[in-house]
Amino acid sequence: MHDAGGETDRVRPPAYLLICDPQGGESVARLVAGQRLTLGRAPTNHVVIHDERASRLHAEIIPTAAGWSIRDLASRNGTFLGAVPLTAERLLGPGDVVSIGLVEITFCEGDPPSALTGTAELEATSPGATSAEFERWQAAITHRRTHSRLLDVIREPGEIVPRVGRAAAELCRLAFALGRAADARAIARLALDSALQGVEATRGAVFLPAGIAAGQPNASPAALEPFAATPSEWIDEAGRLEGVIATVLRTDEAMLACDAHHADGSTSLSAPIRTGGRAIGVMHVEVPATARQATPDDLEFMMAVCDALGVAVENLSAREILSSRLASTADENERLKRRLGEESRMVGESPVLEAIKGQIGRVAGTRATILVRGESGVGKELVARAIHDASDRRNGPFVCMNCAALSETLLESELFGHEKGAFTGATERKAGKFETAHKGTLMLDEIGEMSPAIQAKFLRVLEGHPFERVGGSTRVQVDVRVVAATNRDLEQAVAAGEFRRDLYFRLKVVEILVPPLRKRPEDIEPLARHYLQRFATEASRRVRDFTPAALEALQGYHWPGNIRELRNVIERAVVLSTDEMIDVHELALSQLSSAGETGRKSGERAAPFIPLTLDELEQRHVQATLAAVGGNKTKAATMLGIERSTLDRKLARWAKA
């Protein structure tokens, strides 16, 4: 048998150690022919054991003539080969397992797995690679912890966990104090003061990443800075703690070391501060020998303080992020409100528009259903939004829906919602527009296009009755103010049987008639300048005004598309203009004719005029009304606005003639 440094004439196969360390993970250490390999807790060993049961220099593996042998170096807790403690040098064979505390070391022959090759080089440290002070601290570690058990046994008797009652009270007080703290340095100071008092330490420091308040912590040792220190000048010499900080972050362990830095026998406690399940900072305190020697219970308490600090740091970071997002959202909402206000502002100077504004002011505060009538593009939705904004429902939702855009089945689903499985494609429950507009306003455009079947259900909801979703049986009650809009002649639709008479009267509680733009030419120039300024700002163009010829063309145009057409004409001109003034050739005015008030287009040829007396005209009108209602004299009299007896007298007189 050769000694530790002996050479052998026999060629051995390559060998390595597979190290399974619960703290350090799996690693590999190659065995080099002719060189001994040491194992222990001290950082100067070739293989560093992260277990408090290991001695500083615990065991060694040496080359011999017969192979590789292992021997214990008078360790405190012994070395085990399998389950047998080593009492003498033993030869290792492939697959033999050496145990040192919880660390298992397997002897293997051949080449190590490629995935683990070289990992042991991170653990092995050559003499002189670290400072003597750091080596003393590592050698003095007596206890290691990964998690505090203090709160897990808080209900157990005091003799099992010494001082548990006082510790729990201090942790409770700390939790409330941390919740009230406003910034990271304040919570670091609170946690440090609590730890110093709890373990009777005289100095200490808390190290956290500089970007912790912004929610972007960097857990590398170089990124940490002292957020709190006692005494404040002690932190000036804290550069000597670099090794301690790096070790705690790397192992994610709390450590208790006796006589680590000073010859006076002081004790140090170091613990990780965790957020999101990983160590991002370190708390380090020192207890002088003149006070008392720190115990594992002190380490438990300090870990609990660090856990509370980690939660507070995480909550503070979340609050900062949330506060930033809320501020950004508030600014965005304010911008959207201003833009929406600009969009919904009624621009114009005509007496007609002023009269409409007066009507809106009078009816907005009531619960009356409102019917807004006018040609397409005159701004009926604008009137509905103005009613909503002026009412006590202004803080509720404003929901718009075009009844002409959907089929009967889809319209019912959109209005009243549907249950899961009500029809093909109904994969989940959906709330309808009535539910969405609860406590707000529902604007229904093109109400005249609603089918008779839906009109009946819609009427019941208008009367205050609950409704059921499509395919459901649950009754839904809502509080919604309805504003209906149409460009159709509803009276003609009622006469033709296309629109329910009772729904017509229910909708026409208050009627607001919005005349076409050609009927209020005073509003053309203010509207044109309003859209010019708006689109020039949005498109970043230097267009500032219209030429006199362009204004004259705008005033003389008949505007069949009303305000919607005016808006599009101005937007196109602003986008395509190359000058500061918009001229007449840049206005794309169409040649379409305007819709007449009777629904006949003005470009159509009128029927030949036949002169009639007023009596003949009245007779024709009454007879047409009677025909429209199926000869029902009572209904005809109601529609004509006369008494039934008056209608009978007129009919009798015309019959005699």
Side-chain angles (χ1 to χ4, degrees), residues 493-551:
V494 170
E498 299 172 354
F499 199 80
R500 291 179 63 99
R501 184 183 305 274
D502 47 3
L503 178 58
Y504 167 76
F505 288 116
R506 183 64 183 81
L507 288 174
K508 198 178 177 181
V509 177
V510 175
E511 184 180 55
I512 297 179
L513 180 63
V514 184
L517 191 57
R518 61 184 174 275
K519 297 288 187 179
R520 43 191 178 108
E522 304 95 333
D523 294 337
I524 294 176
E525 184 175 343
L527 280 167
R529 293 189 186 278
H530 167 75
Y531 286 125
L532 173 69
Q533 181 181 6
R534 173 184 162 188
F535 292 130
T537 302
E538 290 181 0
S540 300
R541 297 300 175 90
R542 299 181 61 182
V543 183
R544 59 183 179 84
D545 207 349
F546 299 94
T547 63
L551 284 176

Side-chain angles (χ1 to χ4, degrees), residues 314-644:
E314 196 168 358
N315 291 340
L316 179 65
S317 176
R319 288 203 306 267
E320 291 290 338
I321 295 173
L322 181 60
S323 177
S324 175
R325 290 178 179 174
L326 286 176
S328 176
T329 303
D331 290 342
E332 185 178 357
N333 285 342
E334 188 61 31
R335 290 194 300 271
L336 289 175
K337 283 183 178 179
R338 286 198 297 268
R339 183 171 180 178
L340 184 60
E342 191 68 18
E343 288 269 1
S344 60
R345 185 163 63 92
M346 302 181 73
V347 178
E349 302 172 350
S350 65
V352 175
L353 184 61
E354 293 301 320
I356 292 175
K357 291 179 181 179
Q359 278 185 286
I360 291 172
R362 288 190 295 273
V363 303
T366 69
R367 298 176 60 89
T369 304
I370 298 172
L371 179 62
V372 183
R373 305 180 71 165
E375 293 180 9
S376 179
V378 296
K380 297 187 291 293
E381 183 177 337
L382 196 67
V383 172
R385 178 168 285 281
I387 293 170
H388 172 76
D389 291 341
S391 70
D392 55 0
R393 297 173 180 262
R394 66 179 68 89
N395 294 325
F398 177 76
V399 181
C400 293
M401 183 176 174
N402 191 326
C403 298
L406 300 171
S407 64
E408 179 178 337
T409 303
L410 290 178
L411 180 59
E412 183 179 11
S413 172
E414 285 295 315
L415 278 175
F416 307 108
H418 63 253
E419 297 288 347
K420 180 178 179 181
F423 50 83
T424 303
T427 57
E428 58 184 14
R429 172 188 287 183
K430 177 182 177 181
K433 299 300 184 185
F434 271 104
E435 289 182 75
T436 306
H438 183 58
K439 297 295 183 181
T441 303
L442 174 61
M443 190 263 186
L444 296 176
D445 199 5
E446 304 296 346
I447 192 71
E449 305 299 327
M450 188 180 289
S451 68
I454 300 180
Q455 289 177 27
K457 190 171 182 179
F458 177 52
L459 177 61
R460 284 189 56 81
V461 180
L462 282 182
E463 296 288 353
H465 297 286
F467 61 90
E468 297 173 356
R469 303 184 189 94
V470 177
S473 57
T474 304
R475 298 171 71 82
V476 181
Q477 183 73 55
V478 294
D479 177 15
V480 175
R481 201 243 185 98
V482 174
V483 177
T486 184
N487 60 1
R488 287 189 59 184
D489 187 341
L490 289 185
E491 289 80 4
Q492 183 178 351
V494 170
E498 299 172 354
F499 199 80
R500 291 179 63 99
R501 184 183 305 274
D502 47 3
L503 178 58
Y504 167 76
F505 288 116
R506 183 64 183 81
L507 288 174
K508 198 178 177 181
V509 177
V510 175
E511 184 180 55
I512 297 179
L513 180 63
V514 184
L517 191 57
R518 61 184 174 275
K519 297 288 187 179
R520 43 191 178 108
E522 304 95 333
D523 294 337
I524 294 176
E525 184 175 343
L527 280 167
R529 293 189 186 278
H530 167 75
Y531 286 125
L532 173 69
Q533 181 181 6
R534 173 184 162 188
F535 292 130
T537 302
E538 290 181 0
S540 300
R541 297 300 175 90
R542 299 181 61 182
V543 183
R544 59 183 179 84
D545 207 349
F546 299 94
T547 63
L551 284 176
E552 184 178 354
L554 292 174
Q555 292 282 4
Y557 183 58
H558 57 283
W559 298 110
N562 293 295
I563 298 175
R564 183 183 293 117
E565 183 185 7
L566 174 62
R567 177 187 184 278
N568 295 339
V569 166
I570 302 302
E571 183 176 12
R572 177 187 180 278
V574 169
V575 170
L576 299 180
S577 178
T578 58
D579 199 356
E580 292 186 354
M581 304 287 285
I582 292 179
D583 204 353
V584 65
H585 69 276
E586 295 173 304
L587 301 174
L589 302 177
S590 73
Q591 301 301 315
L592 293 176
S593 60
S594 303
E597 295 180 352
T598 63
R600 175 180 53 81
K601 294 186 177 179
S602 59
E604 295 177 354
R605 183 179 299 275
F609 176 72
I610 301 175
L612 297 172
T613 66
L614 289 177
D615 188 62
E616 291 173 329
L617 184 63
E618 181 186 21
Q619 182 179 354
R620 288 190 178 187
H621 179 68
V622 170
Q623 289 174 344
T625 303
L626 274 170
V629 298
N632 190 318
K633 294 182 180 180
T634 302
K635 290 184 178 181
T638 302
M639 293 190 66
L640 293 170
I642 59 178
E643 297 292 335
R644 166 66 185 272

